[in-house]
Structure formats: C-alpha cells, structure tokens
C-alpha cells in the first residue's frame, strides 16, 4: 500500500470556483503534511504546510487536516487559470524522516 | 540569491552505463536531498546529505549512490543503468538537516535507451 494516495484527476473547475484536492496517508504516526504545486515542466514548490488538526489558511489556499481519518485536503478558493498545475501531497513521519509524496492531482482551471 | 542548480539538465545514456548528476544548493543551505520522479511512481526520496554525511536513505538499490562535498554541493551516481531508471531527478536544498522547507532545483531529465 502506498504511503500517500491522491486522485490523479484530472480535476477541472471553472474560474472563480473552489477546487478541492484530497490526500490520504497510511501511517498513523505521520506528523507533518505538505502541499506542493508543480507546473508542467517545472519543479515542485511548497505552498502549504500543516501540522495540527483543523484548518490553516493562507490567502486563497486552505489546508485541512484530520489525523483521525488520516486525511489532508487543500482548498483553492476563487480558482484562477494560473492555478492550473499538478498538486502534490507530501507526508513526513516525524522530524528527521524522509518525505513521502503522492503521485499528484492534475488541476485545470477553465477560464 | 540564486536558486538550486542542477547539471546537466538533460542526459541520454544506454543500459549498463553509469551516470553522475550534480546539484548546487542555495547559498548557505547545508542539506541536499535527491528525488526520482516518474509518471507511475511519482516523487520518490533517494537520500539526504548533510555535513558531507548521508543522513537518510530511501528504498532504492545500491546502484544509486551519492556524496556531498565540503561546500555542500552534491552529486548522485547511478551505476549499471536500467531502462527503468529513466526519470526526472530532482535535487532539493534546505538550510539545515531535516527542515520541512526545501527548495527544488529544475531537475535532470535522464533517458536510458
């Protein structure tokens, strides 16, 4: 079983809508959770990190973590065409351990 | 401040050959991690180097190795190349060992024929 699972998509949303990206992880001792954005042909860039249950907001982005359900999500409000990219979920068991990445969800925002 | 640089950007090799990839971290960053990215497996961790020592290793065969120099630059080597080694190899740097914030380089696209 993969440590981190994401729907590969593609996910298409109209401009201005909310895009919802989901990720589940298998290891209950996971402590740190991250969302990366990767534009086609580019390298991943970190957009959000979350460590505690609940919501964390940063501009149009909200990360949600539910450790009991082993679930982390990313909401993108007021989606823009420039948000079209692949979003990678990453999990870290604890400090000093490696990152485990999902295979990514491709998001297309339609103007 | 310059970002992470990787050389070469593209490489074509044949099965059985070996290859060395290079990564220069952001100035002042002392930790370098290497990842392999393929469409089927996604981004997979290879290893992390800090202070010239390998601190973490992913689940890859011994054909994959690396090292870090005193100036924090890092190289990774793949020996006896297989077709399945075709991938984008990404290097990421962070300020210190095991920090959550890492910055990725542009990657080296390796094609094994």
């Amino acid at each position: 079983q993969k440590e981190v699972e994401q729907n590969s998509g593609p996910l298409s949303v109209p401009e201005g809508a909310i895009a919802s990206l989901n990720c589940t992880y298998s290891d209950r001792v996971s402590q740190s959770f991250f969302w990366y954005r990767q534009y086609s042909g580019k390298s991943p860039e970190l957009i959000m990190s979350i460590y505690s249950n609940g919501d964390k907001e940063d501009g149009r982005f909200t990360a949600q973590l539910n450790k009991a359900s082993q679930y982390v999500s990313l909401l993108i409000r007021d989606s823009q065409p420039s948000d079209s990219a692949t979003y990678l979920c990453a999990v870290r068991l604890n400090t000093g351990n490696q990152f485990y990445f999902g295979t990514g969800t491709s998001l297309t925002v339609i103007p | 401040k310059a970002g992470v640089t990787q050389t070469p950007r593209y490489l074509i090799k044949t099965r059985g050959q070996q290859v060395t990839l290079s990564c220069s971290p952001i100035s002042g960053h002392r930790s370098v991690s290497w990842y392999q990215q393929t469409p089927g497996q996604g981004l997979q961790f290879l290893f992390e180097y800090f202070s010239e020592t390998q601190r973490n290793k992913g689940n890859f065969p011994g054909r994959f190795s690396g090292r870090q120099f005193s100036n924090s630059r890092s190289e990774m080597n793949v020996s006896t190349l297989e077709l399945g080694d075709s991938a984008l190899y990404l290097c990421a740097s962070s300020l210190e060992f095991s920090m959550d914030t890492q910055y990725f380089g542009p990657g080296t696209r390796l094609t094994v024929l």
Side-chain angles (χ1 to χ4, degrees):
Chain A
Q1 182 185 0
K2 281 187 172 294
E3 290 84 359
V4 182
E5 301 262 14
Q6 294 181 255
N7 289 328
S8 61
L11 174 66
S12 294
V13 299
E15 184 175 354
I18 295 175
S20 178
L21 304 161
N22 304 315
C23 172
T24 57
Y25 58 94
S26 60
D27 201 312
R28 289 191 171 273
V29 300
S30 299
Q31 294 187 351
S32 309
F33 307 86
F34 309 87
W35 283 100
Y36 284 79
R37 178 176 61 200
Q38 186 173 24
Y39 291 113
S40 179
K42 301 294 185 182
S43 54
E45 55 178 331
L46 180 66
I47 52 175
M48 291 281 289
S49 58
I50 185 167
Y51 303 94
S52 305
N53 278 328
D55 294 0
K56 178 182 178 182
E57 189 174 313
D58 184 0
R60 296 186 296 111
F61 297 95
T62 299
Q64 299 175 317
L65 175 61
N66 183 327
K67 289 187 177 182
S69 301
Q70 295 175 242
Y71 176 94
V72 58
S73 66
L74 179 71
L75 300 179
I76 306 174
R77 291 183 301 281
D78 188 24
S79 295
Q80 301 297 309
S82 59
D83 295 325
S84 298
T86 295
Y87 290 80
L88 304 171
C89 172
V91 167
R92 196 172 207 179
L93 297 183
N94 47 53
T95 301
N97 281 16
Q98 63 175 286
F99 290 87
Y100 292 91
F101 283 81
T103 51
T105 298
S106 175
L107 171 67
T108 300
V109 180
I110 303 167
Chain B
K1 189 181 277 191
V4 179
T5 58
Q6 291 187 245
T7 56
R9 293 293 311 279
Y10 302 91
L11 209 48
I12 298 176
K13 292 286 187 179
T14 56
R15 279 182 300 174
Q17 288 187 307
Q18 75 166 19
V19 66
T20 299
L21 312 180
S22 180
C23 171
S24 292
I26 292 171
S27 178
H29 284 200
R30 302 202 293 156
S31 178
V32 173
S33 297
W34 288 91
Y35 294 85
Q36 181 195 66
Q37 188 172 33
T38 58
Q41 297 297 317
L43 204 58
Q44 293 184 284
F45 173 79
L46 281 155
F47 25 68
E48 179 178 10
Y49 283 88
F50 178 76
S51 290
E52 303 176 61
T53 302
Q54 187 181 92
R55 300 303 181 109
N56 274 323
K57 189 177 190 308
N59 189 26
F60 278 82
R63 300 185 297 107
F64 292 82
S65 62
R67 60 178 175 168
Q68 186 181 35
F69 302 94
S70 58
N71 62 358
S72 297
R73 191 177 70 85
S74 177
E75 289 181 347
M76 68 162 281
N77 185 77
V78 188
S79 63
T80 319
L81 284 166
E82 301 177 0
L83 295 179
D85 297 332
S86 294
L88 180 67
Y89 290 88
L90 291 160
C91 158
S93 82
S94 54
L95 203 55
E96 297 290 338
F97 169 63
S98 191
M99 291 190 72
D100 286 343
T101 303
Q102 51 183 349
Y103 299 87
F104 283 87
T108 294
R109 172 75 62 185
L110 172 64
T111 302
V112 182
L113 302 176

